[in-house]
Amino acid sequence: MERARSSRPDMTVRLTGSVETCLANIKESKGQKKQKKGKKRDPDEEDSGVEFGMYTNSKPLPGQQDNCEICEKRFTVSPYSGTGPEGGLLCDRCSKEQKAQRKKEEKVKNQGPPSLQDLCIRTIADNVHDIEEFGDLPQHLLKPLSQKFSKRRVITSRTLDLFLRQKQETLVLTDCGKLEVDDYIKIFSFVPTMHTLDLQNAGQFKDEVLDYIMERNVPIRHLKLYAANLISNDKWIEFFTKCRQRLEPLQLSWLDYSMDDNAFMHLVQGCPNLKRLKMKKCWQLGDLALGAIQDLEKLEHLSLQIKDSTSASNLVDMIAAIGGNLRTLSLEDFHNADHSVLETIYKHCSQLQKLRFTENDFCTDTAYTALFTDWSNPPLSFVDFSSNRLVDYDNPDGTEDAVGLGTKAFEALMNHSGPSLKTLLIPSCRHIDREGLANAFDGRKHYSLLRKLDVSFVKKMDTPIIAGVFRSCPARIK
């Protein structure tokens, strides 16, 4: 017995180190579990299966009141309340400011920081009411300044003076909504040597302004007006008669009913040297205007959007007469244009760089395929075939020969012009199947110049094809 009792201490001594180490580790792990567990609950309480700590920092629900984390203002929480940097909720005003700041940061991240020129233009726009003159600011900076001013709707009779200089030849204002008749007259009285005039939203550009231009014999050669729809037909006729063949580019949009076929005939007779003609949203023009355009032998750029129904035969005659010299051909909303129009483009247009043919529900995939098969025209840089499709709710899948740009035509287009394309717009061309899209944007074919692509409502577009688009278009694409 004594030997047994005497042997126990020795065993205790031999195991003391390992036992104490194990006990210490067990105690440490239990202590960590207690810290994680947090506050102990009464064992008599029912176990709901939900941790107690998840309710300690819960956010107010929509409809409840809370203090904004940034401005500390009391507000009513909504499902759209933003979250602050420390996890608190934000009021509507701070939420909007935070979203705007994030958008700016993303823009800087994607496009890089603004240039010094952009910062200077922004500073000028922010302090427009404190500026008396631009001084010797270069002419090429006046256009971005005008765009910035127009965006903020601050071009008025006073700020107009900032853009006027003696011996000035070019004036571009992208928003003239706050200018009156006297302001337009002031432009030509202060700058009688104006050669290029580009005015957008010029609703108050009326007969009196054209009278002043003709009285002072202002040598305008390039004229671009948007929404100058209060000028009468008689005044247009008088102006075109007295312009003495000066006009070369003429771009008129949203004239509504202020110019008819008779006035357009005088335009062609008085301005035979036109090289660029754009007539959009001019609702009184029709087949007579198409016939008159055939006499413009020097025309290189033509853009038309006419409301009245026009016959395909007149459109064919016009293209056949002037198509050989055209660099730009834009035809919008010509619903009666048929296969013969595309055939005429194929035969007579051999120098096109830009082609727009939209809002047509007649030409089929076969006709478009024939256009881009063995076409002698060089590869195009701009193509717009928006909304060329047949809307038939009884037959949503269309006919056997699909109306609009289909798979075969899309493949022919990409084979002909793909490497040279800078802009490709094919929204609502819903008959392009997935295989055709996948073949065009497979990641192996590269379109290094393509910067703008619109495939809205092309129903076969999916995530893998979009990924292929970015692999096939190494340039920053929009």
Side-chain angles (χ1 to χ4, degrees), residues 305-320:
Q305 187 177 14
I306 298 175
K307 183 178 180 180
D308 287 346
S309 297
T310 55
S311 64
S313 60
N314 287 327
L315 196 57
V316 166
D317 294 340
M318 181 196 72
I319 297 173

Side-chain angles (χ1 to χ4, degrees), residues 410 414 418-424 437 440-455 461 465-478:
F410 179 69
M414 299 307 288
S420 299
L421 283 176
K422 297 180 181 179
T423 300
L424 176 60
L437 294 169
F441 302 107
D442 58 3
R444 295 187 296 271
K445 301 182 183 69
H446 294 285
Y447 312 103
S448 57
L449 300 179
L450 189 60
R451 296 298 181 93
K452 186 175 181 180
L453 174 66
D454 188 352
V455 289
M461 290 293 296
I465 296 177
I466 292 296
V469 169
F470 288 103
R471 290 195 299 269
S472 297
C473 305
R476 183 175 294 173
I477 191 169
K478 180 180 179 182

Side-chain angles (χ1 to χ4, degrees), residues 381-395:
S381 61
F382 182 103
V383 172
D384 182 4
F385 289 138
S386 303
S387 301
N388 289 332
R389 83 280 193 221
L390 177 64
V391 180
D392 186 358
Y393 298 106
D394 296 330
N395 186 19

Side-chain angles (χ1 to χ4, degrees), residues 195-327:
H195 286 176
T196 302
L197 183 65
D198 183 352
L199 303 178
Q200 307 292 312
N201 294 333
Q204 296 300 311
F205 197 98
K206 299 181 181 180
D207 289 0
E208 297 88 335
V209 183
L210 285 183
D211 284 333
Y212 190 88
I213 292 174
M214 291 183 287
E215 290 174 3
R216 296 299 181 95
N217 197 23
V218 180
I220 295 179
R221 295 179 182 176
H222 302 181
L223 180 61
K224 182 177 181 180
L225 296 177
Y226 182 92
N229 51 17
L230 297 180
I231 302 176
S232 65
N233 275 305
D234 293 338
K235 194 56 62 178
W236 277 122
I237 292 174
E238 183 180 356
F239 174 72
F240 293 139
T241 303
K242 293 184 178 181
C243 67
R244 298 178 183 177
Q245 304 182 359
R246 284 195 304 262
L247 286 178
E248 295 179 359
L250 177 63
Q251 298 170 273
L252 304 176
S253 302
W254 281 103
L255 293 187
D256 296 340
Y257 295 93
S258 68
M259 179 183 292
D260 58 12
D261 284 332
N262 185 30
F264 191 84
M265 298 287 286
H266 284 80
L267 160 64
V268 174
Q269 296 172 2
C271 308
N273 296 322
L274 281 177
K275 295 181 179 180
R276 181 185 294 271
L277 177 62
K278 179 179 180 180
M279 305 295 294
K280 288 194 173 185
K281 307 291 186 180
C282 303
W283 302 138
Q284 288 192 345
L285 301 183
D287 283 326
L288 290 178
L290 295 182
I293 293 175
Q294 300 179 32
D295 297 331
L296 297 175
E297 300 177 354
K298 298 181 180 180
L299 200 61
E300 296 179 359
H301 306 273
L302 176 63
S303 300
L304 297 175
Q305 187 177 14
I306 298 175
K307 183 178 180 180
D308 287 346
S309 297
T310 55
S311 64
S313 60
N314 287 327
L315 196 57
V316 166
D317 294 340
M318 181 196 72
I319 297 173
I322 63 174
N325 201 38
L326 289 180
R327 271 68 170 173

Side-chain angles (χ1 to χ4, degrees), residues 35-145:
Q35 291 178 359
K36 292 181 178 178
K37 190 172 183 180
K39 184 178 178 181
K40 292 184 178 180
R41 293 189 298 164
D42 191 339
D44 295 334
E45 293 179 359
E46 293 184 0
D47 187 4
S48 62
V50 182
E51 291 292 339
F52 177 78
M54 69 182 295
Y55 293 104
T56 55
N57 295 321
S58 61
K59 297 179 181 179
L61 298 175
Q64 297 179 346
Q65 297 287 320
D66 195 15
N67 293 327
C68 177
E69 180 183 308
I70 296 178
C71 66
E72 299 182 354
K73 178 182 177 182
R74 195 73 173 169
F75 71 100
T76 302
V77 179
S78 72
Y80 308 103
S81 298
T83 303
E86 297 182 2
L89 295 177
L90 303 180
C91 63
D92 293 342
R93 179 179 178 182
C94 294
S95 296
K96 292 179 180 179
E97 292 177 354
Q98 185 186 59
K99 291 180 181 178
Q101 182 63 28
R102 287 177 180 174
K103 287 183 178 179
K104 290 181 181 179
E105 292 175 356
E106 291 178 0
K107 185 177 181 180
V108 171
K109 183 179 179 180
N110 295 332
Q111 301 181 358
S115 63
L116 180 59
Q117 175 179 314
D118 294 336
L119 290 175
C120 293
I121 291 175
R122 189 180 304 170
T123 302
I124 293 174
D126 291 338
N127 301 275
V128 58
H129 299 294
D130 299 326
I131 298 175
E132 296 183 357
E133 61 178 12
F134 287 152
D136 295 330
L137 199 66
Q139 181 67 33
H140 69 274
L141 293 179
L142 292 179
K143 183 175 181 179
L145 267 174

